Amino acid sequence: MSVDVLAIGAHMGDEVAWGMALAAHQRQGLSIGMLHLTPGEKGHKTMPPEEYAAQKCAESQACAEVLKAQWWALDYRDGELPVNDEVKFAICDVIREAKPKVILTHWRGSIHKDHTAAADNLPDALFYAALSAFRRALPPHWVPRHYFGENWEDLQGYEPEIYLPVLSEDIERWEKAMRCYALFRGEVSSFAYLDYYRALARTRGCEIGGENAVTFAVPPASRRRRVQTLTE
């Protein structure tokens, strides 16, 4: 059940921000996965949270099928995701099971507290996952790289540092997958999510002289590079 790329979202549906990247990696022959920390069940204006949670769960599994992604979910509540060792070890256990080479998650400068909590839980989860001294059900796993995706709710202090070109077929699969959610079909919110991210991909593509791209920020320590010459 291991994957090459694991996306960790605070809510089911947050993969709208990095789904194009997941589709691109799947097209390249890499395996992908998604971990949801909460259903995001409090976002419906009329449907009770328990009912919307069940709907979101079915939608996210359908989305994963379209993207050909492995699927994991924790059982925390929307708007109540804590930053503590319980969450960190739960994420650690999924990391040990999924054994990803790369993790994608939220930039912590967010207007949504759960997004910030997801970002704040990750460093210790990675630490716990990597060390054999933390005895868990599965053996340790070290994740070489993690990146922070560009999300319209997570833009406080966000600077694009990594550009990943995406093809039209990646965008088509992403849109098909996102339309598994009523939210992205316009049935829950008037925010034009799909229009926003399509336009953003075109904008980022223009910035690197291409058609479409998605961007990521990196942890501060990852900005350090060892080189033999500045001409590299």
Side-chain angles (χ1 to χ4, degrees):
M1 207 170 180
S2 63
V3 300
D4 294 301
V5 181
L6 177 66
I8 302 178
H11 313 103
M12 295 174 182
D14 284 336
E15 63 269 25
V16 70
W18 38 72
M20 292 181 195
L22 292 177
H25 284 90
Q26 199 281 329
R27 170 180 51 78
Q28 294 167 10
L30 300 175
S31 56
I32 60 175
M34 298 187 296
L35 166 60
H36 309 282
L37 305 183
T38 84
E41 76 281 3
K42 295 187 177 77
H44 202 290
K45 295 179 181 178
T46 59
M47 189 179 293
E50 296 78 11
E51 185 178 342
Y52 193 39
Q55 177 177 313
K56 290 287 292 289
C57 186
E59 291 171 339
S60 70
Q61 289 176 320
C63 174
E65 289 181 12
V66 174
L67 289 173
K68 299 182 181 179
Q70 296 289 339
W71 185 91
W72 289 268
L74 302 185
D75 194 29
Y76 293 96
R77 299 296 91 196
D78 186 11
E80 303 174 38
L81 180 65
V83 178
N84 61 28
D85 274 348
E86 179 183 86
V87 179
K88 295 169 185 178
F89 277 113
I91 296 172
C92 155
D93 290 343
V94 174
I95 291 172
R96 289 188 175 197
E97 180 180 352
K99 299 186 283 293
K101 299 173 183 175
V102 175
I103 284 177
L104 312 178
T105 195
H106 296 277
W107 176 251
R108 75 173 310 279
S110 180
I111 62 174
H112 199 304
K113 65 187 294 287
D114 287 346
H115 293 198
T116 300
D120 287 347
N121 278 306
L122 184 61
D124 284 345
L126 291 168
F127 179 70
Y128 297 156
L131 293 186
S132 58
F134 292 102
R135 299 184 183 276
R136 309 295 292 172
L138 295 172
H141 175 76
W142 176 66
V143 181
R145 291 176 297 279
H146 65 280
Y147 300 106
F148 307 109
E150 186 170 11
N151 185 313
W152 79 272
E153 293 180 302
D154 305 347
L155 296 179
Q156 298 173 23
Y158 178 88
E159 292 290 341
E161 296 169 290
I162 303 294
Y163 283 72
L164 174 71
V166 293
L167 303 183
S168 58
E169 63 188 271
D170 304 327
I171 297 175
E172 289 170 6
R173 175 172 285 182
W174 163 82
E175 181 166 351
K176 182 179 179 182
M178 294 309 110
R179 287 189 178 277
C180 293
Y181 287 94
L183 175 62
F184 303 132
R185 297 195 300 268
E187 299 168 18
V188 178
S189 168
S190 61
F191 187 85
Y193 287 92
L194 301 186
D195 290 344
Y196 175 88
Y197 285 105
R198 278 194 302 264
L200 181 61
R202 183 69 187 99
T203 299
R204 294 310 193 190
C206 289
E207 291 174 355
I208 56 171
E211 290 294 322
N212 297 284
V214 291
T215 76
F216 296 88
V218 301
S222 297
R223 297 171 188 152
R224 301 172 183 170
R225 295 175 53 207
R226 178 178 176 175
V227 299
Q228 299 301 319
T229 170
L230 293 179
T231 63
E232 289 182 340

